Amino acid sequence: MEHRSKVLVVEDDAGIRQSLFQTLNALGFVIGEAGNGEDALVRLRMVDYDAVLLDINMPGMGGIETCRKMSQQYPGLPIIMLTVLDEEDDKVEALDAGADDFVTKPFQIRELTARLRAAIRRSKAVVVAPNELIVIGDVTLDRVRHRVQKLEVEIHLTPKEFDLLSYLMEHAGRPAPYQRLLTTLWGPEYGNEREYLRVLVNQLRKKMEDDPARPTYILTESHIGYRFRES
Amino acid sequence: MEHRSKVLVVEDDAGIRQSLFQTLNALGFVIGEAGNGEDALVRLRMVDYDAVLLDINMPGMGGIETCRKMSQQYPGLPIIMLTVLDEEDDKVEALDAGADDFVTKPFQIRELTARLRAAIRRSKAVVVAPNELIVIGDVTLDRVRHRVQKLEVEIHLTPKEFDLLSYLMEHAGRPAPYQRLLTTLWGPEYGNEREYLRVLVNQLRKKMEDDPARPTYILTESHIGYRFRES
DNA sequence: GAATTCCTTACGAAATCTTTATGATGAACG
DNA sequence: CGTTCATCATAAAGATTTCGTAAGGAATTC
């Protein structure tokens, strides 16, 4: 079930590469390795990676140049660069070359994975947006046919309920503030009518949550709004 | 390889200035000197310094006033003030005037350079990574998803708690004065209600510190405010 | 006109925020 | 060296806001 993200590690130091391989592999990532930029580009042509971990200091085609080529050839591919402390100027260049984020060596593996996951999540989110089909967990929302299914079973929603769910699922993972929900659902002049929202959420939960009192899909962010759980 | 940082030392006492010059120069900094505030501002126009070391007690335009002018004219320029022991009010004023950090005289050169380097690193990092993910130690704060994790496990925070942590982590390493925290969290009319802040900090510590009585993340700067530890 | 959808109100429960009180800590002072 | 005073930490109670839920009526659709 759980989709293991594929990450390409590009690093000339075989020791670091090895250690990254072991650690990330143990954490559930599928790792590909490359010792230089050219090699990395070849591997990208063969395998569909979810992200690239790229050392900025490499002999031959350097990290910056590799980064530029990658982001040209594979726009949207998350690239995280490994930089050394106090070489902040490199980062500006790297950003320009299309890097998404940085981790400075020596790094904590926790920070690395956190940024890696965040970058992958972001890249996926972009794909979802123009898509007419959103699938999260057991729930499938078809924006074209205006239909919602949970575990292959159709759930009948009223138009307002559908719009709410649609908005929440599109922004799954991040809280949707009351105000935004109200204005997108009812119009700009409605901004304070939270009661409407409460009632609507309640109806929606009754239709799609196993236990409306203990929701697992539509979660409430107290004082802020609501958010759909992510994947 | 290592880019030597340029630091402007502003200090009226020629002896201290001289000694700072020698020490910092030996440690790899490129030093510019100014004997008063006016002179310092002139030099800033000519050279692109990475940081300023500014004595708070100076004849003519005092350190505070100089600091205010500098941070207005060069926002983002790290300013570290040299204060004398037990002049807490000066420190608050200095922070308010735009200083990043301070070192109390008499100081250890080690502490001075540590703060100096930290301030420079921070200033560069801000330009480079306007990131929604802040990772410090075991704590990860995601501003987009409005979530905080410590060691991969989620910590539930109320909105106020989140805002406080968010501000502290964003400014990690430098002291956040009461006043600023109060006005950013409660609004401009709140400036003296330190009790609120104390209680809020206490709640936050209970949720994220291993031992709230001996905090390692949210440190208190006596008479000044609070400071999130850096990396 | 029957069914569906939507709007509106109401109220107990829960979460969050504010306020007060008390003990601990540490610096200032005689 | 003990006292005084201010700040800080902490707990706990009280006030306020927000949430969930049911229910009734208006508007709309079929």
Side-chain angles (χ1 to χ4, degrees):
Chain A
M1 172 64 232
E2 192 187 347
H3 165 253
R4 290 158 62 95
S5 298
K6 291 193 283 290
V7 177
L8 179 60
V9 174
V10 190
E11 160 73 61
D12 59 306
D13 184 320
I16 299 180
R17 219 166 58 219
Q18 179 70 4
S19 121
L20 276 174
F21 176 94
Q22 288 187 349
T23 325
L24 292 177
N25 198 39
L27 286 169
F29 293 94
V30 177
I31 303 297
E33 295 183 55
N36 58 61
E38 293 83 354
D39 202 12
L41 288 167
V42 172
R43 293 204 60 111
L44 273 181
R45 248 171 268 136
M46 292 159 45
V47 183
D48 184 34
Y49 288 101
D50 295 302
V52 178
L53 220 54
L54 180 57
D55 187 17
I56 203 168
N57 289 312
M58 288 191 304
M61 183 169 62
I64 298 282
E65 193 47 35
T66 309
C67 179
R68 182 166 288 121
K69 285 224 168 65
M70 279 182 178
S71 94
Q72 269 172 12
Q73 293 176 24
Y74 307 92
L77 174 69
I79 303 173
I80 295 189
M81 302 219 73
L82 298 175
T83 67
V84 276
L85 201 62
D86 296 336
E87 290 289 339
E88 307 281 352
D89 295 341
D90 283 355
K91 294 186 180 175
V92 181
E93 236 182 313
L95 262 192
D96 200 48
D100 285 84
D101 205 349
F102 307 90
V103 178
T104 52
K105 294 199 277 194
F107 50 80
Q108 304 256 342
I109 204 65
R110 202 169 298 287
E111 173 168 7
L112 179 64
T113 53
R115 295 204 181 275
L116 198 51
R117 291 210 176 95
I120 292 173
R121 183 175 352 105
R122 276 198 299 272
S123 75
K124 296 270 162 67
V126 174
V127 178
V128 165
N131 210 351
E132 70 274 9
L133 204 67
I134 305 179
V135 182
I136 297 176
D138 297 332
V139 180
T140 305
L141 181 138
D142 187 334
R143 312 178 90 160
V144 177
R145 301 183 195 289
H146 253 246
R147 290 204 322 199
V148 176
Q149 287 187 335
K150 180 182 170 190
L151 286 171
E152 312 284 314
V153 179
E154 171 121 20
I155 301 176
H156 172 77
L157 297 185
T158 72
K160 271 256 150 63
E161 290 164 359
F162 184 88
D163 289 345
L164 172 60
L165 184 61
S166 178
Y167 187 93
L168 288 176
M169 287 185 74
E170 188 180 344
H171 301 87
R174 13 184 177 157
Y178 307 112
Q179 184 118 357
R180 179 140 0 156
L181 288 169
L182 284 168
T183 51
T184 57
L185 288 174
W186 276 275
E189 57 273 23
Y190 294 77
N192 303 323
E193 280 75 353
R194 300 190 187 176
E195 320 82 62
Y196 300 2
L197 196 51
R198 285 211 307 277
V199 174
L200 192 61
V201 166
N202 190 239
Q203 286 172 349
L204 192 48
R205 277 177 174 159
K206 274 197 273 201
K207 291 188 180 180
M208 62 181 300
E209 298 281 2
D210 294 326
D211 178 3
R214 248 171 249 81
T216 63
Y217 293 106
I218 301 167
L219 311 172
T220 123
E221 293 274 334
S222 196
H223 286 79
I224 297 174
Y226 295 92
R227 86 160 195 272
F228 202 88
R229 83 142 194 245
E230 64 189 326
S231 55
Chain B
M1 84 120 220
E2 192 183 343
H3 160 256
R4 289 160 61 96
S5 299
K6 294 193 282 288
V7 177
L8 179 61
V9 174
V10 189
E11 160 73 62
D12 59 309
D13 183 320
I16 300 180
R17 217 165 61 219
Q18 180 69 5
S19 127
L20 275 174
F21 177 94
Q22 290 187 350
T23 327
L24 292 176
N25 198 39
L27 286 169
F29 292 93
V30 178
I31 304 297
E33 297 181 54
N36 57 63
E38 293 82 353
D39 202 12
L41 287 167
V42 172
R43 295 203 60 111
L44 273 182
R45 247 172 269 138
M46 293 159 47
V47 183
D48 184 34
Y49 287 101
D50 295 301
V52 177
L53 218 55
L54 180 57
D55 187 18
I56 203 169
N57 289 313
M58 289 192 304
M61 182 168 62
I64 297 284
E65 195 45 37
T66 310
C67 179
R68 183 166 288 117
K69 284 224 169 65
M70 280 181 178
S71 89
Q72 266 172 16
Q73 293 175 25
Y74 307 92
L77 174 70
I79 303 173
I80 295 189
M81 302 220 73
L82 299 174
T83 67
V84 279
L85 200 60
D86 301 336
E87 291 289 340
E88 314 284 358
D89 294 345
D90 282 358
K91 297 183 182 174
V92 179
E93 235 182 315
L95 287 174
D96 211 46
D100 281 81
D101 206 348
F102 40 76
V103 178
T104 52
K105 294 198 276 195
F107 49 79
Q108 306 261 338
I109 204 68
R110 257 201 97 63
E111 179 178 3
L112 178 65
T113 54
R115 303 232 163 180
L116 198 51
R117 280 197 236 271
I120 293 173
R121 174 153 23 86
R122 280 198 299 269
S123 76
K124 301 259 163 96
V126 169
V127 178
V128 166
N131 216 332
E132 76 253 20
L133 202 67
I134 307 179
V135 182
I136 298 177
D138 295 332
V139 179
T140 304
L141 181 139
D142 188 327
R143 314 182 90 148
V144 174
R145 298 195 293 164
H146 231 256
R147 290 214 238 160
V148 176
Q149 288 186 331
K150 181 181 173 190
L151 289 171
E152 310 283 312
V153 50
E154 171 133 19
I155 302 177
H156 173 80
L157 298 185
T158 71
K160 275 252 151 68
E161 291 165 356
F162 185 88
D163 289 346
L164 172 60
L165 183 63
S166 181
Y167 186 93
L168 289 176
M169 286 185 77
E170 185 177 13
H171 301 87
R174 57 195 133 141
Y178 301 114
Q179 182 119 1
R180 186 167 317 231
L181 289 170
L182 284 167
T183 51
T184 57
L185 287 174
W186 277 274
E189 56 273 26
Y190 294 76
N192 303 322
E193 281 74 353
R194 299 191 188 178
E195 320 84 63
Y196 299 3
L197 197 51
R198 257 188 276 127
V199 173
L200 192 62
V201 166
N202 187 239
Q203 285 173 348
L204 193 47
R205 278 177 174 158
K206 273 197 278 201
K207 290 188 180 181
M208 62 181 299
E209 299 280 2
D210 293 325
D211 178 3
R214 251 170 243 80
T216 64
Y217 291 106
I218 302 167
L219 313 172
T220 121
E221 291 273 332
S222 196
H223 298 255
I224 295 167
Y226 294 93
R227 174 202 304 244
F228 201 89
R229 85 144 195 245
E230 75 186 314
S231 50

